[in-house]
Amino acid sequence: MTCEKKAETMYQQAKQSDPTSLMIGMLAVLGSPEVDETVRRHDAILLRQLVNKGPEKDFCFPRLSAAHKMEFASELLRLFEVETLPRIQTKIGDVVSKLAEYVCDTEDPRGSLGPPNGWPALLPLVFRMADPASNQNRESCVAAISLLKACVGTLQDGVVGARTELQTILSNALQNSDLKLRTAALLLVCEIVGVVQKKDWVSLLQTAPVLWQVLEQMAAANDTDTLQEAMQALIEVATLEPDFFKASLQQNMQPAQFFAAVAKNRQMESLRPMALEWLVSFLEKRSKWLTKTLPAFAALCVEVCMELMLEVEDGEQELKVWAERMDDEEGDEDEDELFHAGEEAIDRVAQAVTMESLGTVLFQVIGTYVKQEQWQAKHAALAAVKQTVEYVEEKEHVNQMAQLLIQHVDSNHPRVRYKALHAIGQLANDQSPHFQEAWHEKLMPVLLMKMDDPVDRVAAMAMSAFVSFGEELDKALMASYAQGFMMKLVNKLQTSQHRGVREESITSIAVIAGVIEKDFSQYYGEIMPMLKHFVMKATAQNENRLRGKSFECMSLLGIAVGKEKFLPDAKDAISEMMKTQLEADDVQREYIKEASERIAQCLKRDFEPFLQHLLPGLFRSLKIEEEAVNGPVDEDDDEYVQVTNGEGKTVQVKSSKFEELSQAVQLLLCFCTELEGAYFDYAQTTAEHLLPLLTPGDDEMSMLIEDVRGTALQVWALLIKVAKVGAQERGIQSALPQQLFTTGLQKTFETMEKSSEAEKLSETASGITECIKNVGPGVLSASEVHQLVGKIFALTDQSLQRSQELEKVKQEQKSGDAAAVQALGGEDEDDEEDDQEQEEEQCRRNYEEVLGALMQVAPAEFMPCLEQCGQKITMWLQRKDLKVLALYLACDLILHLKEESVKVWPIFMPQVFASLSDADADLRTAGAYAVNLAAPLNSFAEAAPQAFQELARIVGAPKPKKRDDKGKIAFDNAVAALLSLAKSKPSHCPAGLEVWPLILSKLPLRDDEEEAQKVHESLADLVLAQEPSLVGGDGKNLGPTLSILAEVHHMEGICNKTTEEKILQIFKMIPQNILGGLAAGFTGKQQKKIESMLAG
């Protein structure tokens, strides 16, 4: 045994057998100036571990007697005060701050050394040492201020309570000429502002002008490291307490001007991204205030972003290196770092401020840069378009951006061509389907041509842009271009040796197949052998992505052409995927998982023969393999995670194991979804392997797998359906569905009893809903339904109690900060959405969905609970924050209990009508949905005229803006409700109100996809039934109606397969002469789709 190992063994033994002698002895070594400084520093590091509230074997301080604790703490403070070596003094300060975290913990006073704060001697000493007026040793003074900063979080009451001492320290330090001292004071101010409440830091606003002077002094001294630390601290303040900067910004735009100057200064390269970060972070936090008060701030941010985006390496060698690099390869960490910082930041600026405020400035800057001769300026302009086009709402502006990009795909410089194509791809993603519909004729030939760009990396980006553009291109349009692109792409696969070109060629082919579906059969015989070749031969390390994309493409081709044609090739694909060593191949793992899911989706029941080969590996992945921990573990080693298991043992687990576990559960979810009854033979075994994931535990291992528990519960719910359908298909009686249902509910409610985390409870409630739906009718008795309803209402009450506690804390803080807020000029925007309360709201919505599932499968058994539901709705409607929840419970009562729900309508129907025009979009959605559901019922006849008038007024108003996601959902639901009324209660429509032209003018729906599918199917049904009120007496509505149906045909998400078949039937039954007469009212795309339908 070496001396080092022998010493380590003795140290570990001493920690267990005699921690007092060990710690007192180490303290003596730390205070011995004759001992080598390196030894003393290491000694301090070990002492810090011994006082750190961590693993029991290392946390020795609590095992000291009370007297020895006091002796240790007193001596530690003495050593801190008398130490003359700055680095050792800092290390001692680290031990002090770590010990303070334990002994001054107000939530756990067991470690306290005495009142008033757990360590009564600490703050008086630190205050005395930190004051430059009483401590002439500048290094010692800096160390004390740094220690005070480290203790702010632990001792904030004591720190802010000693206002006089604190102000004296800061005043003396900031007035001192020593830059280190002034910097320490700046960092202390930042820490206090970031930790304590507004009311406790507002008095520090007077230090702000001096703080900016300190920044200027650091910059003048070229003290980069110190300036970097200060800037990082100010970034954190901008994120946590942006109001600290308001007054100063209004007065002289500081520190914004300072940060802008640093960001533009090429001599301060390492600090430029940080300076920009402060500007953008503050803008994100106070965008409304800045837009109203300092509109020049956003313009300054754009200016700085564009400056940084000019920083792209130039020169022949640099260009050669760039051209040869693949997009998935990492370059030097610092390569084009400034450009990427500016590129990311301008996206954040556009998102924070909105185009309505930023557009004029942004478009002017882009126009200025694109006119410059320097290629980097054009490159920056195109990058700005790419990053901000998502937020553009005006179609005219989108078209201008598209024109600008197309003008630069033939630039002399390959990086400009590349960026133009990259931006086109982004434009296609962000502005579909308008961009595709308006620009396909001009852009598709351009993309085809650029696939032959002499620089392979640019050619690959042209293909990538085609992928983005083509994914949202209509089938009929893609079919007209497919042949030319397939010829090009096949040629590239056969001739190019560039991995990026081959990868993007495969993806492009997959997109064509996905869009034109069975029409791809003509190319299948040529493409599939090529993909098999890549799967077999592309085995080099740098070809993993190429191989993965080949698997991806094979599965997409299978979905396109159908299982009859694909089945033989599916066997080869599965066989090759199983040969791949997933454990050693992170790149391919996700591709293979998704390819397996698509193959299952394609083959459905015919996938069953593959299960016997796939499931054993998946079941192994569900088990976490533990390895014993031997010796110290490198904390920086991210290959393993060190956790405590259910037996209390510390073990280590490969980090990749948790991702593998997640993917295995997701694959099981897919298999159960697609195979349904065909999975029956594996249901019991799958449940046995899945059960440990549903079982809650208190150990760290259980907490780490919590993220997959929700998905595992979804699988469990599907197993209930598998067992039920499988037994029916086999004509047998099986107790398995009931057993799985009972066990699932038992485990989930056990989990919920142990948790108060809204997000996890919400996920679990969704699983319960699916379990109930899948077990179906005839299983739950009235008493069981009553019991479950009681549990759900109790859980809802617990969520409401948590919300009340959150609100109480929020109000207390607001009340305490009221004076400070006033001093800061008032607060006109919240710092951020209350994530916790949003999670609680979602949790309560998911609880309500459990009630809806109970109504769905057991409506008669639920009826005794109707009165209780009415009472809850009455209570919830009294609170603004619960009205949405109340209305969704009302919606489920209407949907599932139909006319039986009428007896409680007087409780909620007045609120339904009031909600239709409410400022809260969520409430508008719920109100419109309630009308939608109630409209077909006879009992709604009396209210129908009022509903017609209210909804016609709402639907007749302009649509919400593009970024108003909730508003768009509410609008779609209003249109759906009006259509439901027009369909079910046409005789109750007030005279003179033409609702069908109004409805048709707002179709198709696109934002609420679930409602869109129902509305478009309903419209098709009405046409097939030749509903006179829809078509109109003179047939005036037929053209617009057919235009809508042609538009939605084959649009995944808003038109289901059943509706597609109905639309096809409609167009085939309409005489050709009538269609011909209406053709002028169809767009070119719609005409192509109609031609395709009629030719099929």
Side-chain angles (χ1 to χ4, degrees), residues 135-146:
N135 185 359
Q136 300 304 310
N137 185 328
R138 291 291 167 263
E139 295 286 358
S140 173
C141 198
V142 168
I145 294 176
S146 298

Side-chain angles (χ1 to χ4, degrees), residues 63 164 263 319 364 451 524 557 592 596 654 710 720 950 955 1046:
R63 287 184 271 143
T164 302
L319 181 59
Q364 285 177 350
M451 289 180 183
Y524 184 87
L557 262 59
I592 290 177
S596 300
K654 277 191 173 182
I720 297 172
E950 284 289 316
V955 173

Side-chain angles (χ1 to χ4, degrees), residues 92 152 689:
I92 297 173
V152 168
H689 285 88

Side-chain angles (χ1 to χ4, degrees), residues 316 318-327 409 411-419 421 449-463 492 496 498-501 504:
E316 290 187 15
E318 287 78 7
L319 181 59
K320 185 173 183 292
V321 170
W322 174 87
E324 292 175 353
R325 183 180 303 116
M326 303 294 172
D327 283 337
V409 296
S411 167
N412 291 331
H413 201 286
R415 294 198 66 169
V416 174
R417 299 198 300 273
Y418 177 92
K419 190 56 67 177
L421 290 164
M449 177 187 68
K450 296 314 297 179
M451 289 180 183
D452 287 325
D453 194 278
V455 177
D456 283 329
R457 190 174 179 185
V458 178
M461 182 50 69
M463 295 173 188
K492 290 292 180 182
S496 178
H498 189 272
R499 180 168 59 84
V501 169
E504 293 300 335

Side-chain angles (χ1 to χ4, degrees), residues 154-170:
T154 305
L155 291 164
Q156 58 177 291
D157 290 342
V159 173
V160 300
R163 185 165 298 179
T164 302
E165 292 91 333
L166 188 60
Q167 288 181 341
T168 300
I169 290 168
L170 290 172

Side-chain angles (χ1 to χ4, degrees), residues 10 55 151 198 250 312 690 756 760-761 800 852 903 946 1071:
M10 292 174 65
C151 292
K198 277 186 174 66
Q250 281 184 288
V312 185
L690 209 58
S756 61
K760 301 303 178 187
L761 289 168
L800 289 172
K903 62 185 69 174
Q946 181 187 353

